[in-house]
């Protein structure tokens, strides 16, 4: 690890501490499930701080991976950020993403589309989690159960502490017209320097990604950036995060699955949708490449516990069924997972005069072309301006802007709420309101576009008939 990257990682430790304290103290906006759609789901956003490779402390036993997490009481959040290995130069804050794979080799976390580079395929990452089942004791229990079943990580151990819940999110289909379920994100922190051994389900790989790869340059120690001979930061340096996009066939969202003709027609009339995405670097360890004898013994103990049915939880896979990570993949974070990640990262914004600056007009948490995509809206709500799509046809985007007045009013209302109180107005479901008004504008725009296209085609046919048969 270079000196520059070490300084960048260290510079966000105080921001991470403030963010987690803020999440713990802020009550989330909980969306009640309507009677017509009671389904819910929950995911776990798991954070850890990896100590420097060569770090040693006065108590080496505290860094031993063979020590049992259940035998050591978890430190408080305040005490955790005072630990020597957490504040050591080179300590690296990270977040866990999963890459799930279907038996046919495609990603289960989004549409399988071709990458922009020849021979490169896209795969999409998400958080561990899933649907709430009968008998679950709430959303946090669901997130913990699903994490255990998917990757064998027991968040009930003393090695992990629950931080809090982010705002609920609505999962919709048919361009926001039909509610599928309510999703609850829960944040957990690993309070030990070593991650307990994991046992992912077949086709699931883990990717621990440094937070500095997801945060904008403005928040990762500007003083540590490479400089030219004059002392100015290099402008041609690759900026972070690495923004890209995910292309989705609009007909998959608008036309019936089994109607080939209708899907082809919609594809021709409407084109494709492009969702903002962050490219995930795959050069960091996944914790699956090597296992010590102590790790293997721990996995055997966990597998024996599963096979005995202890706790009524069943696992889906075994370590022997792990698949190696493909080298010709580009991992991307997008959609709901991107929105929840940005909700978390927004708490890491520095504070000036008692108020967060991450939502200021610098556009720190939005894609470079967000002002074009989102009709020049303010960026007080980064998780909104970064997850909505734009269309491949410019006239579709124009008509969305025409019908998007109500959507812009909702986002400006959210902005006014944040500026007035320094926090969100918890009485209003800003995310749901923005979702509904944006996709309402999309539906109106698509109707206008299709009607105009039909009129132009009809006029072209009439003119062609006149030119051929009458003239």
């Amino acid at each position: 690890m270079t000196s520059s990257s070490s300084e960048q990682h260290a510079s966000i430790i105080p921001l991470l501490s403030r963010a987690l304290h803020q999440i713990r103290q802020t009550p989330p906006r909980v969306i009640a499930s309507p009677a017509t759609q009671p389904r819910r789901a929950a995911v776990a956003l798991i954070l850890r701080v990896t100590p420097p490779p060569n770090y040693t402390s006065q108590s080496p036993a505290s860094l031993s991976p063979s020590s049992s997490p259940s035998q050591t009481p978890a430190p408080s959040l305040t005490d955790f950020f005072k630990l020597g290995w957490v504040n050591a130069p080179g300590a690296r804050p990270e977040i866990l993403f999963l890459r799930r794979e279907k038996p046919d080799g495609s990603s289960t976390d989004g549409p399988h589309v071709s990458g922009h580079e020849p021979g490169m395929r896209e795969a999409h990452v998400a958080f561990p989690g899933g649907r709430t089942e009968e008998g679950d004791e709430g959303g946090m229990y669901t997130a913990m159960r699903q994490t255990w079943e998917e990757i064998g990580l027991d968040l009930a151990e003393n090695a992990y502490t629950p931080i809090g819940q982010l705002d609920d999110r609505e999962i919709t289909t048919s361009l926001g017209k039909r509610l599928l379920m309510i999703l609850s994100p829960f944040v957990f922190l690993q309070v030990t320097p070593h991650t307990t051994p994991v046992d992912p389900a077949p086709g699931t790989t883990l990717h621990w990604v440094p937070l500095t790869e997801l945060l904008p340059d403005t928040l990762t120690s500007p003083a540590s950036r490479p400089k030219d001979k004059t002392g100015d930061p290099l402008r041609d340096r690759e900026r972070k995060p690495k923004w890209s996009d995910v292309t989705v066939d609009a007909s998959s969202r608008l036309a019936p699955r089994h109607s080939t003709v209708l899907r082809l027609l919609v594809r021709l009339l409407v084109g494709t949708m492009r969702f903002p995405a962050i490219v995930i670097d795959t050069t960091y360890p996944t914790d699956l490449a090597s296992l010590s004898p102590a790790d293997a013994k721990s996995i055997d103990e966990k597998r024996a516990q599963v096979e005995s049915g202890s706790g009524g939880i069943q696992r889906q896979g075994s370590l022997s069924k792990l698949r190696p990570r493909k080298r010709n993949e580009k991992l991307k974070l997008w959609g709901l997972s991107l929105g929840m990640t940005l909700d978390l990262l927004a708490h890491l914004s520095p504070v000036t005069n008692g108020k967060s600056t991450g939502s200021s007009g610098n556009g720190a948490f939005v894609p470079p072309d967000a002002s074009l995509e989102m009709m020049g809206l303010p960026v007080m709500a980064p998780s909104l301006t970064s997850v909505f799509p734009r269309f491949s046809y410019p006239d579709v985007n124009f008509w969305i802007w025409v019908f998007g007045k109500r959507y812009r009013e909702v986002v400006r209302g959210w902005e006014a709420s944040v500026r007035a109180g320094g926090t969100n107005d918890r009485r209003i479901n800003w995310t749901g309101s923005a979702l509904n008004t944006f996709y309402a504008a999309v539906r109106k725009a698509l109707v206008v576009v299709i009607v105009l296209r039909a009129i132009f085609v009809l006029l072209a046919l009439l003119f062609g008939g006149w030119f051929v048969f009458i003239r």
Side-chain angles (χ1 to χ4, degrees), residues 78-215:
T78 301
D79 291 339
F80 172 79
F81 283 100
K82 294 179 180 178
L83 295 175
W85 61 269
V86 175
N87 294 281
R92 189 170 69 195
E94 299 173 328
I95 186 170
L96 176 64
F97 294 107
L98 302 186
R99 190 266 197 238
R100 303 181 181 97
E101 188 176 271
K102 292 181 179 179
D104 62 1
S106 62
S107 173
T108 62
D109 299 306
H112 179 65
V113 292
S114 299
H116 297 293
E117 302 176 19
M120 180 72 68
R121 54 175 291 194
E122 288 184 357
H124 306 132
V125 296
F127 297 109
R131 293 183 181 179
T132 300
E133 297 179 358
E134 186 176 355
D136 284 358
E137 301 172 0
M140 180 177 292
Y141 181 92
T142 298
M144 297 172 70
R145 175 182 58 78
Q146 290 281 2
T147 300
W148 166 252
E149 293 180 2
E150 278 197 282
I151 60 176
L153 197 62
D154 189 358
L155 295 175
E157 292 182 350
N158 287 340
Y160 303 91
T161 183
I163 299 300
Q165 178 184 347
L166 302 178
D167 290 348
D168 282 351
R169 284 180 165 269
E170 295 174 322
I171 302 179
T172 62
T173 187
S174 300
L175 294 182
K177 201 170 184 180
R178 185 165 65 93
L179 177 66
L180 291 179
M181 65 181 68
I182 305 298
L183 178 64
S184 301
F186 292 87
V187 181
F188 295 85
L189 174 67
Q190 178 182 304
V191 293
T192 57
H194 292 280
T195 303
T196 54
V198 296
D199 186 10
T204 301
T205 54
L206 279 64
H207 298 273
W208 287 98
V209 178
L211 291 181
T212 53
E213 294 295 317
L214 305 174
L215 289 169

Side-chain angles (χ1 to χ4, degrees), residues 389-404:
R390 63 174 176 173
F391 286 76
S392 56
Y393 293 158
D395 58 331
V396 177
N397 296 319
F398 168 76
W399 286 109
I400 292 175
W401 177 84
V402 170
F403 293 111

Side-chain angles (χ1 to χ4, degrees), residues 129-454:
R131 293 183 181 179
T132 300
E133 297 179 358
E134 186 176 355
D136 284 358
E137 301 172 0
M140 180 177 292
Y141 181 92
T142 298
M144 297 172 70
R145 175 182 58 78
Q146 290 281 2
T147 300
W148 166 252
E149 293 180 2
E150 278 197 282
I151 60 176
L153 197 62
D154 189 358
L155 295 175
E157 292 182 350
N158 287 340
Y160 303 91
T161 183
I163 299 300
Q165 178 184 347
L166 302 178
D167 290 348
D168 282 351
R169 284 180 165 269
E170 295 174 322
I171 302 179
T172 62
T173 187
S174 300
L175 294 182
K177 201 170 184 180
R178 185 165 65 93
L179 177 66
L180 291 179
M181 65 181 68
I182 305 298
L183 178 64
S184 301
F186 292 87
V187 181
F188 295 85
L189 174 67
Q190 178 182 304
V191 293
T192 57
H194 292 280
T195 303
T196 54
V198 296
D199 186 10
T204 301
T205 54
L206 279 64
H207 298 273
W208 287 98
V209 178
L211 291 181
T212 53
E213 294 295 317
L214 305 174
L215 289 169
D217 289 330
T218 53
L219 298 184
T220 53
S221 185
S224 66
R225 297 178 202 154
K227 296 179 174 59
D228 57 21
K229 296 180 180 180
T230 64
D232 296 326
L234 292 176
R235 298 185 181 275
D236 58 351
R237 173 178 176 266
E238 186 176 37
R239 299 183 64 81
K240 297 178 182 179
K242 303 173 186 176
W243 282 103
S244 181
D245 57 68
V246 169
T247 302
V248 178
D249 185 0
S251 65
S252 65
R253 304 289 181 94
L254 301 174
R257 180 178 302 177
H258 304 293
S259 179
T260 304
V261 175
L262 189 56
R263 290 182 68 128
L264 184 61
L265 181 61
V266 171
R267 188 179 306 158
L268 189 63
L269 293 174
V270 178
T272 59
M273 296 185 293
R274 289 195 295 173
F275 289 83
I278 293 178
V279 177
I280 299 298
D281 197 333
T282 59
T283 61
Y284 294 95
T286 61
D287 288 351
L288 301 179
S290 62
L291 291 172
S292 67
D295 292 344
K297 180 179 179 182
S298 178
I299 288 178
D300 289 339
E301 293 175 352
K302 286 191 175 185
R303 186 175 293 126
Q305 179 184 4
V306 171
E307 292 172 353
S308 66
S310 175
I313 296 179
Q314 301 297 322
R315 282 293 322 283
Q316 305 173 28
S318 64
L319 189 67
S320 61
K321 298 179 182 179
L322 287 177
R323 299 184 181 183
R325 174 169 54 85
K326 294 180 175 61
R327 297 292 179 177
N328 62 336
E329 286 185 337
K330 178 180 288 187
L331 299 183
K332 291 187 175 182
L333 172 66
W334 73 293
L336 280 169
S337 298
L338 173 60
M340 291 182 289
T341 302
L342 294 176
D343 282 345
L344 171 67
L345 297 181
H347 288 279
L348 272 72
S349 304
V351 174
T352 303
N353 297 327
K355 293 188 178 181
S356 175
T357 62
S359 295
S360 62
N362 58 16
F365 289 98
V366 298
D369 56 352
S371 60
L372 296 177
E373 293 186 19
M374 304 316 303
M375 305 166 283
L377 290 171
V379 291
M380 294 298 291
S383 62
L384 283 182
T385 56
S386 299
V387 299
F388 286 141
R390 63 174 176 173
F391 286 76
S392 56
Y393 293 158
D395 58 331
V396 177
N397 296 319
F398 168 76
W399 286 109
I400 292 175
W401 177 84
V402 170
F403 293 111
K405 180 181 177 181
R406 176 56 183 154
Y407 170 72
R408 295 190 289 273
E409 290 176 350
V410 169
V411 178
R412 290 193 179 102
W414 190 343
E415 181 185 35
S417 171
V418 175
R419 291 191 184 281
T423 186
N424 225 327
D425 188 340
R426 319 306 296 179
R427 298 168 298 177
I428 302 176
N429 179 11
W430 295 108
T431 305
S433 299
L435 182 76
N436 293 333
T437 52
F438 176 80
Y439 280 117
V442 171
R443 291 193 296 270
K444 293 176 182 178
L446 293 180
V447 170
V448 171
V449 167
I450 291 174
V451 169
L452 289 178
R453 280 170 173 46

